[in-house]
Amino acid sequence: KGLKTYSGMINMNGTDQSTIEKCEIKYLNNYHYIEKENVSWYSSWGRTKWTNILSHGIGIGVFGNNNLITDCEIAYSSGDCITLYGSNNTVSNCVIHDANYLGADMAPIALGGVGNTITHNEIYNGGRGVITSLSAEEFHINYNEIHTAGLLNWDIGCLYTYDTDSKGGEISYNWIYDANPSNPEST
């Protein structure tokens, strides 16, 4: 509670029932390299096949269960600000911004796992997407202000998903705006 961190990730691998509260967490990750098995580009495309706590594109890596991140400012990462996997974790009442200035497949929040909740946050300034949902199931994305996607890429969305049917996921009561792709052909 009340920590200020600069220039380092937070590893919540296997962490259960923990809270990060009223913290200022900035410059989480400024290098990106992800190792994956030697397979063709197409079969390795799904991020769920290679994202893990050892991936260098993670800021706060939540790979445990029943954790809470609340009332924090989380900002400035070349990769994800929060990689929210595991199950039944919650990100609430936070300001999360300026992620993926590498322009890769990262976001202010990368969502996976089962039963995770993102609620009452302001989430903005993604190089590609703002919330990327990758194999997430039974999630809740509610009452957020989500804006300003596509600062570096043109294949974008404030909410960006692929390779999932979300199995009962819910997206409701959000204010979503300014998905402006940076496609040079559009200028």
Side-chain angles (χ1 to χ4, degrees):
K1 183 175 182 178
L3 296 174
K4 291 185 179 184
T5 66
Y6 296 91
S7 191
M9 71 174 285
I10 295 175
N11 179 339
M12 295 180 74
N13 188 23
T15 302
D16 296 331
Q17 300 179 350
S18 294
T19 300
I20 296 175
E21 181 180 2
K22 296 183 181 175
C23 294
E24 184 178 293
I25 304 166
K26 294 183 177 177
Y27 303 99
L28 295 115
N29 186 313
N30 290 294
Y31 180 73
H32 175 74
Y33 176 78
I34 294 178
E35 294 183 33
K36 56 187 172 190
E37 63 225 41
N38 188 17
V39 294
S40 74
W41 175 85
Y42 181 79
S43 66
S44 67
W45 179 245
R47 186 178 188 200
T48 58
K49 295 180 177 109
W50 47 257
T51 298
N52 62 60
I53 200 64
L54 301 175
S55 299
H56 297 290
I58 293 172
I60 299 174
V62 183
F63 288 79
N65 307 304
N66 304 303
N67 296 293
L68 173 64
I69 300 173
T70 186
D71 301 307
C72 297
E73 181 183 7
I74 303 163
Y76 312 116
S77 177
S78 65
D80 297 333
C81 280
I82 299 174
T83 307
L84 188 63
Y85 278 45
S87 63
N88 302 312
N89 298 295
T90 300
V91 177
S92 174
N93 297 313
C94 294
V95 177
I96 304 160
H97 61 94
D98 294 287
N100 188 25
Y101 45 78
L102 184 67
D105 188 20
M106 302 288 160
I109 298 181
L111 176 63
V114 178
N116 291 314
T117 299
I118 301 169
T119 187
H120 294 91
N121 302 285
E122 183 179 9
I123 311 161
Y124 62 96
N125 287 355
R128 189 172 183 183
V130 177
I131 297 177
T132 304
S133 173
L134 308 166
S135 72
E137 299 176 6
E138 301 172 24
F139 59 84
H140 302 277
I141 301 173
N142 313 101
Y143 303 102
N144 299 286
E145 182 177 351
I146 304 166
H147 62 93
T148 317
L151 294 174
L152 295 172
N153 299 79
W154 56 268
D155 179 13
I156 61 106
C158 284
L159 299 172
Y160 188 97
T161 188
Y162 58 89
D163 197 27
T164 186
D165 67 4
S166 69
K167 296 182 182 171
E170 175 188 16
I171 301 170
S172 60
Y173 308 107
N174 297 287
W175 185 23
I176 302 171
Y177 59 95
D178 285 343
N180 296 311
S182 60
N183 183 352
E185 294 176 12
S186 67
T187 57

